[in-house]
Amino acid sequence: MPETGIPGYSKKSVEQKNIVHAIDLLLLHQRFLILLAKALMVYGSPLHYLEDNLGRIARLLDLEVTVSAIPGLILLSFEDSVTHTSETKVIRCANGWDMHRLDETNQLLRRVVYGKIDIPMAVPLLEEIMTAKPIYAWYWQVLNWGVISWTLCLVCFDGSWKDSGISLALGLMAGCLNLAAQKFSGYTNFFEVSVSILTGLFGAALSQWGCFGATSLSATVVLLPGLVMTTGVIELSSRHMIAGTVRIFYALLLAFIIAYGLLIGVQIYNQMAGHEVDALLDLTQCRGLSKWTWFGSFPLGIISISVLVNIHWRHWISVTVVAGISYGVFWLFKFHLLLDDLAPVVASFVLGLVANTWSKFTGQTAYMILLPGEMFLVPGSVGVRGFASLLSKDGAQGAQLAMQMITTCLSIMIGLFASTFLVYPKGKRNSAILTV
């Protein structure tokens, strides 16, 4: 006679099924955490929030996990206090920028945290996000490289209409090379160098019709390391020493590569032409348009950056408004009040304040909202000009520009952290991608 009184079943078999179900649920929770870690890294989550978010989700899932992340690598150490065993998962994945998928991942996390869906439902939804097609086709991305170069030449590098036309052509060339780097893995390691050399070569050839500094820097603007450097400084200040050091060193190396490639391209043209061309990364020689024209090209520049980092068109208006408010403050402090040191601090503070407040009331991801506006503030071209000055044996100007790059990154970091503290003084208890 069975102990449970149910024909065909025993108490032992029920316990075995419960154990099997508990193990399956544990493995499913671990799989969700692994997929989540990979998604956050690939889609561009800041590492100093990635570890915190994974730790909060692990506690929600009753998992004993130790999380450690550096650019391109995540270590998840699952521990079992009952059996005194542990298992470490090594996740290698490239860093990227896909704000649409990052926002969808963040919204999925919200639903899990608030108990609207359970993990068996969340896993296939997360897999669907990770396997979805890009929201912008490859030809839009190639065209977008040219549009970014054209708009930022006018707004950020004091370019004229002729300069912006040259930048548009060089940006399209860089976009085609970027597409080739995605198709051929062997070309990836040579991509930044080749783009810089070709930009320097053609920029020098067209220097009699345009300002070389404006055209070359705007054509390579997507490669400029300002955002990487700023993120590295922020992670160092967040006491993530390894991640911050890696990013800062990579940003400096990338700035050196771009500057070296541009100078090599100029030298190649000089040898081909038989005479030297005065091709310097000095923006003071450029004759830009009136600053009031920036208000026409600025929204297009923000939209093109949104396409670059894969922000859905539904968020273009909010992204443009937030970035416009921040850049308006930057304009006021830098060009009217002539407070160059305070301009990036106040502008980044306003940017973070508006983006976090917007996120608090709309539920949208703050990092997605503020990223295009932050990319307008970061000092990537300053580092390239500094290394170019050092390579041209102008050590004093090179050191001055390098120091300016670091101080601007620190200013942006102070503004973003201050705005985040003001909106969330006790931190954000439920998991979310908060800010940079």
Side-chain angles (χ1 to χ4, degrees):
M1 187 73 178
E3 296 179 0
T4 59
I6 303 176
Y9 288 91
S10 65
K11 184 177 181 180
K12 184 176 181 180
S13 63
V14 172
E15 292 178 351
Q16 289 177 344
K17 289 184 178 181
N18 291 335
I19 294 174
V20 171
H21 176 72
I23 294 175
D24 291 340
L25 189 60
L26 175 64
L27 295 177
L28 189 63
H29 286 183
Q30 291 183 358
R31 174 171 173 76
F32 177 76
L33 195 66
I34 293 172
L35 289 175
L36 178 62
K38 185 175 182 179
L40 293 179
M41 174 71 78
V42 172
Y43 302 148
S45 169
L47 293 185
H48 55 286
Y49 280 115
L50 184 147
E51 294 183 0
D52 294 338
N53 287 332
L54 291 180
R56 292 171 183 173
I57 291 296
R59 289 191 294 271
L60 180 67
L61 302 179
D62 294 328
L63 295 176
E64 300 179 40
V65 181
T66 302
V67 182
S68 179
I70 60 176
L73 183 67
I74 304 175
L75 299 177
L76 298 178
S77 179
F78 295 96
E79 302 175 1
D80 190 339
S81 57
V82 177
T83 60
H84 301 286
T85 58
S86 64
E87 181 184 11
T88 301
K89 299 289 185 180
V90 180
I91 305 172
R92 295 190 61 184
C93 49
N95 294 99
W97 304 102
D98 195 331
M99 294 296 104
H100 174 63
R101 297 190 190 185
L102 183 63
D103 181 55
E104 288 192 333
T105 303
N106 191 40
Q107 299 303 326
L108 179 63
L109 281 182
R110 289 174 181 268
R111 296 167 65 186
V112 172
V113 168
Y114 292 124
K116 296 181 179 179
I117 59 174
D118 55 10
I119 299 302
M121 294 178 59
V123 169
L125 290 176
L126 183 56
E127 291 176 340
E128 183 179 347
I129 294 173
M130 299 179 69
T131 57
K133 294 182 179 180
I135 57 176
Y136 300 112
W138 62 269
Y139 46 85
W140 288 118
Q141 290 288 358
V142 172
L143 179 63
N144 190 58
W145 277 61
V147 176
I148 290 178
S149 301
W150 176 68
T151 55
L152 268 65
C153 179
L154 297 174
V155 178
C156 299
F157 301 112
D158 290 331
S160 63
W161 291 116
K162 289 184 179 180
D163 298 335
S164 63
I166 297 173
S167 300
L168 173 63
L170 295 178
L172 290 174
M173 177 196 68
C176 293
L177 294 177
N178 177 62
L179 180 63
Q182 295 176 4
K183 299 293 183 181
F184 306 100
S185 58
Y187 177 62
T188 303
N189 297 331
F190 188 62
F191 169 63
E192 289 85 1
V193 179
S194 61
V195 170
S196 302
I197 292 176
L198 291 176
T199 300
L201 174 63
F202 291 113
L206 299 172
S207 60
Q208 56 180 325
W209 294 285
C211 176
F212 177 77
T215 56
S216 59
L217 289 175
S218 57
T220 57
V221 68
V222 179
L223 306 178
L224 295 181
L227 183 61
V228 179
M229 171 66 81
T230 304
T231 306
V233 172
I234 291 174
E235 288 174 348
L236 273 180
S237 65
S238 303
R239 295 171 179 79
H240 286 67
M241 302 301 175
I242 297 178
T245 304
V246 169
R247 289 194 189 276
I248 289 179
F249 182 79
Y250 173 71
L252 294 175
L253 179 62
L254 187 56
F256 180 82
I257 289 174
I258 295 174
Y260 180 74
L262 291 174
L263 294 180
I264 290 296
V266 173
Q267 293 179 5
I268 292 175
Y269 175 77
N270 290 339
Q271 293 297 323
M272 294 173 59
H275 62 275
E276 291 191 2
V277 174
D278 186 15
L280 300 176
L281 298 178
D282 186 5
L283 298 180
T284 59
Q285 299 180 1
C286 302
R287 298 179 179 179
L289 302 175
S290 171
K291 292 181 174 59
W292 294 105
T293 61
W294 294 1
F295 288 95
S297 55
F298 178 82
L300 184 58
I302 290 295
I303 291 175
S304 61
I305 292 177
S306 300
V307 174
L308 177 69
V309 296
N310 294 292
I311 295 178
H312 199 278
W313 62 266
R314 292 193 303 265
H315 305 299
W316 285 359
I317 296 178
S318 59
V319 167
T320 305
V321 170
V322 172
I325 294 173
S326 170
Y327 201 73
V329 173
F330 181 80
W331 170 298
L332 175 64
F333 275 77
K334 185 175 180 65
F335 297 108
H336 290 274
L337 301 180
L338 302 179
L339 300 174
D340 293 350
D341 295 332
L342 282 179
V345 177
V346 180
S348 59
F349 174 79
V350 173
L351 176 65
L353 180 64
V354 176
N356 280 298
T357 305
W358 186 282
S359 172
K360 191 171 185 178
F361 289 101
T362 64
Q364 297 178 3
T365 304
Y367 186 49
M368 174 189 66
I369 299 299
L370 67 81
L371 184 61
E374 184 193 2
M375 293 179 73
F376 258 85
L377 300 177
V378 294
S381 64
V382 178
V384 175
R385 287 155 53 199
F387 279 110
S389 299
L390 291 175
L391 292 173
S392 301
K393 300 181 181 179
D394 189 355
Q397 184 181 7
Q400 182 180 0
L401 291 172
M403 184 59 64
Q404 181 182 349
M405 180 179 182
I406 295 176
T407 54
T408 305
C409 291
L410 289 172
S411 301
I412 295 174
M413 178 268 295
I414 293 171
L416 290 176
F417 276 170
S419 63
T420 301
F421 173 74
L422 184 63
V423 179
Y424 299 101
K426 295 183 179 180
K428 201 164 185 179
R429 296 181 180 179
N430 294 323
S431 126
I433 311 303
L434 186 58
T435 181
V436 175

